[in-house]
């Protein structure tokens, strides 16, 4: 219980993120599409892809999830703790500014790319990429304190949506799915979505350590969402082919994550903290076997 930790402040409510925060990382057409689908799903939930459902409360929940991340960024970075979002959920002055914050929100976000599903494999229950919203918010609103921001994703699945958003910090051409009245079409388009300045791609870093390769016992299927093997620019992927246990995972963090973070020297680190690599999670298909001690260890060494 939180009562056992008097230095921990628990806030029960999240503020609603403004669309301005969301549109730093997402396309308006995508947001409008899933939000309209959600608003119309009054009588029963509606599927927007093979695994992700929405209903009439989805828009509110998604915006509050992102607002919670922005409030956490405010709390950690504002010396007065009265940032744009944090002040909406806490009217208490802290004598000591918190050095870290944990945001327990749904829906999750790391499979949501700029225009939604970046790989046509399903959004994996994600709608708005909360951690990317928080990173962009930090660089834009707290630019006096945050020149460089890093995101480390230790979910068992690759953060393909976050990678997509970070790659958009540099101009590039991509094949994208366009939703048409009678089906979807693939088109090539030029994309570029900086958060603050032209050199954002040099000041943002995304690192993902994740399961990769074939699903154990099923050579026909690739572990979701596939991809996540290439490292270049502001993206560092550490694919753990064949799965991982504590020793293999900690070694990957020490050998690949910490050196990149030390070289990059971020002013703020955000963790995309999926816990489905836990040994007790049956839905990771025996890809990972981590424990509570592993998560405590990585948070300690990063702090």
């Amino acid at each position: 219980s939180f009562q056992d930790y008097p230095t921990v402040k628990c806030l029960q409510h999240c503020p609603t993120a403004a669309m301005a925060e969301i549109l730093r990382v997402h396309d308006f057409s995508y947001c409008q599409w899933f939000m309209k689908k959600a608003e119309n799903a009054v009588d029963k939930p509606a599927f927007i892809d093979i695994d992700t459902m929405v209903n009439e409360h989805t828009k509110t929940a998604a915006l509050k999830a992102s607002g919670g991340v922005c409030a956490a960024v405010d709390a950690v970075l504002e010396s007065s703790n009265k940032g744009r979002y944090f002040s909406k959920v806490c009217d208490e002055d802290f004598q000591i500014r918190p050095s870290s914050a944990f945001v327990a929100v749904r829906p999750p976000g790391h499979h949501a790319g700029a225009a939604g599903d970046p790989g046509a494999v399903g959004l994996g229950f994600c709608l708005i990429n909360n951690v990317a919203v928080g990173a962009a918010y930090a660089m834009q609103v707290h630019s006096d304190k945050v020149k460089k921001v890093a995101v480390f994703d230790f979910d068992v699945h690759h953060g393909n949506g976050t990678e997509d958003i970070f790659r958009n910090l540099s101009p590039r051409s991509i094949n994208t799915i366009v939703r048409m009245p009678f089906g979807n079409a693939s088109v090539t388009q030029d994309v570029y979505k900086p958060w603050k300045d032209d050199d954002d791609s040099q000041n943002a870093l995304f690192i993902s350590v994740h399961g990769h390769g074939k699903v154990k016992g099923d050579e026909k299927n690739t572990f979701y969402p596939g991809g996540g093997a290439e490292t270049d620019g502001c993206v560092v992927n550490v694919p753990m082919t064949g799965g991982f246990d504590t020793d293999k995972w900690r070694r990957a963090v020490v050998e690949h994550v910490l050196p990149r973070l030390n070289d990059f020297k971020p002013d703020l680190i955000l963790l995309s903290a999926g816990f489905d690599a836990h040994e007790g999670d049956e839905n990771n298909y025996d890809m990972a076997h981590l424990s509570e001690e592993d998560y405590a260890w990585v948070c300690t060494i990063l702090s």
Side-chain angles (χ1 to χ4, degrees), residues 26-27 30 33 111-119 123 127 161 164 179:
H26 287 295
D27 296 349
Y30 161 68
W33 170 73
H111 295 307
D117 180 1
L123 281 161
L127 295 169
D164 177 67
R179 300 173 184 89

Side-chain angles (χ1 to χ4, degrees), residues 64-76:
K64 283 185 175 293
S66 288
V69 175
C70 292
V73 170
D74 285 342
V76 171

Side-chain angles (χ1 to χ4, degrees), residues 3 22 33 62 86 90 94 102 104-105 119 126 132 139 172 186 204 220 230 235 242 268 280 287:
Q3 284 86 5
I22 310 304
W33 170 73
F86 188 71
C90 184
F94 293 163
F102 179 77
V105 291
C126 299
M139 287 188 67
R172 62 181 181 136
S186 178
K220 294 182 179 179
E230 297 180 358
V235 172
L268 177 69
M287 180 63 76

Side-chain angles (χ1 to χ4, degrees), residues 21-189:
E21 326 299 0
I22 310 304
L23 296 180
R24 285 194 189 95
V25 302
H26 287 295
D27 296 349
F28 174 67
S29 59
Y30 161 68
C31 295
Q32 184 183 46
W33 170 73
F34 90 74
M35 288 178 181
K36 282 188 174 180
K37 284 272 192 179
E39 290 170 356
N40 292 331
V42 176
D43 297 326
K44 63 179 181 179
F47 278 95
I48 60 171
D49 62 22
I50 60 175
D51 58 10
T52 305
M53 292 191 297
V54 296
N55 65 21
E56 60 186 310
H57 305 293
T58 293
K59 176 181 177 180
T60 297
L63 291 176
K64 283 185 175 293
S66 288
V69 175
C70 292
V73 170
D74 285 342
V76 171
L77 294 175
E78 285 286 336
S79 58
S80 63
N81 292 310
K82 294 302 177 186
R84 182 184 303 181
Y85 288 96
F86 188 71
S87 60
K88 296 179 180 179
V89 292
C90 184
D91 56 6
E92 175 183 344
D93 285 317
F94 293 163
Q95 292 182 345
I96 301 176
R97 177 169 57 88
S99 60
S100 61
F102 179 77
V103 187
V105 291
R106 301 289 285 182
H110 76 150
H111 295 307
D117 180 1
V121 291
L123 281 161
F125 321 120
C126 299
L127 295 169
I128 296 174
N129 198 306
N130 304 311
V131 74
V133 169
Y137 175 77
M139 287 188 67
Q140 173 63 248
V141 177
H142 295 282
S143 58
D144 58 327
K145 294 174 181 165
V146 179
K147 308 301 182 186
K148 289 185 171 185
V149 63
V151 171
F152 172 35
D153 187 333
F154 56 67
D155 191 287
V156 72
H157 304 100
H158 175 233
N160 57 329
T162 312
E163 175 177 326
D164 177 67
I165 289 170
F166 272 64
R167 290 195 182 280
N168 284 354
L169 294 175
S170 298
R172 62 181 181 136
S173 296
I174 62 170
N175 290 323
T176 188
I177 302 297
V178 177
R179 300 173 184 89
M180 308 292 285
F182 303 103
N184 297 334
S186 178
V187 299
T188 300
Q189 67 178 125

